[in-house]
Amino acid sequence: MQVFGVDVGGSGIKGAPVNVEDGTLAAPRHRIPTPQPADPGSVAATVAEVVSHFEWSGPVGVALPAVVKNGVALTAANIDDAWIGTDTVAVLSAAFAQAGIDTTAVPSPPAPATAAADITTVNDADAAGIAEMAFGAGREASGLVIMTTFGTGIGTALFLHGQLLPNTELGHLEVHGHEAETRASDAAREREDLSWEKWARRVGRYLSTLEALLWPDLIIIGGGVSKKADRFLDALEVRTKVVPAQLQNEAGIVGAALAGLGDQTRPRPTARPTRRRGPATRPPGGRRP
């Protein structure tokens, strides 16, 4: 079964049909620069252009750089502030209708009756995390997993025993008097021409802050930097196991498509938490201390 996934970023909008059984792209992704200004109408028209490139008919999932609740964008990161308060599904539906895209077409092979809304929108970091938990670095993980994406900003997605806690915005945490993403994003590394080692120290301070607050079992680093993990991963001084994302820049596309399936059909991690039994500590008399 295929669902179309679109990843909207501050610099580019990319998408492709996705085989949701294994998380692979059914065709090479198509990318168009994000329009400026990135207002709802312009972005929606560009998303429709990406989808039309494949002559696609069927459900579409769209990852947006925004907190999205019940289809409404409540924030806007690296897109125009006009998105705030926008019914994202309505604006995309209008653009798709104008482009002649039929999102109600039945996927091939047909989806289960409970699957596949016509258009689904989701936070972009959540989408990347969904993909990594299903098919990537988190697929066998249990406990608390934090997906971090380092790009123009810092995105985060939290999963507890495989269940998404949506719309976390932990890239805005204050670390040493600065908002984390202003100092530790990949954009900050490029803007300040930081060496990988110096940038890794900043990332390490940020991840240590997450550790102190949440005590995760695994941290996944995604975004474009995941392709260059060998340059900075060993320099991170953190307690938690840190691994690079495996789906890299395709994670947002794959996760957006998976989000379009709905909770009942979304793939889950294969591992399940195990209950550990500690040594017996009961004193004489049979009562626990």
Side-chain angles (χ1 to χ4, degrees):
M1 175 188 168
Q2 294 179 7
V3 175
F4 201 97
V6 181
D7 186 10
V8 176
S11 59
I13 297 174
K14 52 188 181 289
V18 176
N19 297 311
V20 294
E21 292 87 355
D22 60 10
T24 60
L25 302 190
R29 68 181 186 179
H30 182 60
R31 182 185 184 277
I32 299 176
T34 302
Q36 300 300 326
D39 58 86
S42 299
V43 169
T46 305
V47 171
E49 186 178 350
V50 170
V51 177
S52 295
H53 174 79
F54 295 86
E55 299 182 351
W56 173 261
S57 294
V60 178
V62 180
L64 295 168
V67 168
V68 181
K69 296 191 72 172
N70 300 317
V72 176
L74 302 181
T75 65
N78 304 308
I79 52 176
D80 196 89
D81 285 346
W83 278 96
I84 299 174
T86 295
D87 184 331
T88 61
V89 173
V91 72
L92 288 165
S93 295
F96 284 11
Q98 187 171 359
I101 300 169
D102 181 10
T103 59
T104 65
V106 177
S108 180
T114 57
D118 297 345
I119 300 173
T120 303
T121 53
V122 63
N123 172 266
D124 56 352
D126 286 348
I130 289 168
E132 287 294 328
M133 293 299 289
F135 301 116
R139 65 186 179 278
E140 295 182 355
S142 60
L144 178 62
V145 179
I146 302 178
M147 172 78 183
T148 57
T149 60
F150 290 84
T152 308
I154 298 176
T156 58
L158 267 62
F159 295 84
L160 182 60
H161 305 318
Q163 180 65 46
L164 172 67
L165 282 65
N167 291 313
T168 56
E169 290 286 296
L170 300 179
H172 300 297
L173 283 175
E174 185 175 300
V175 180
H176 292 190
H178 299 275
E179 187 173 302
E181 68 177 18
T182 66
R183 300 271 293 167
S185 66
D186 191 41
R189 179 188 64 83
E190 294 181 347
R191 182 175 62 249
E192 300 182 39
D193 194 24
L194 300 175
S195 67
W196 285 103
E197 183 178 359
K198 187 170 183 178
W199 180 72
R201 288 198 293 270
R202 293 188 182 186
V203 173
R205 287 193 290 269
Y206 168 63
L207 297 182
S208 294
T209 302
L210 292 181
E211 284 184 318
L213 293 171
L214 298 170
W215 293 89
D217 297 286
L218 177 69
I219 296 174
I220 302 172
I221 292 186
V225 298
S226 60
K227 296 182 292 186
K228 304 172 183 177
D230 59 317
R231 300 191 182 186
F232 65 87
L233 210 60
D234 290 341
L236 298 177
E237 296 183 2
V238 292
R239 293 181 296 266
T240 305
K241 180 180 180 181
V242 181
V243 297
Q246 295 180 2
L247 277 70
Q248 299 179 354
N249 278 338
E250 294 181 357
I253 295 173
V254 174
L258 293 179
L261 288 174
D263 287 340
Q264 296 185 36
T265 54
R266 183 179 301 162
R268 299 295 187 188
T270 57
R272 290 293 182 266
T274 56
R275 182 171 297 176
R276 297 182 180 179
R277 296 182 179 273
T281 56
R282 294 184 182 182
R287 297 185 63 185
R288 292 184 184 276

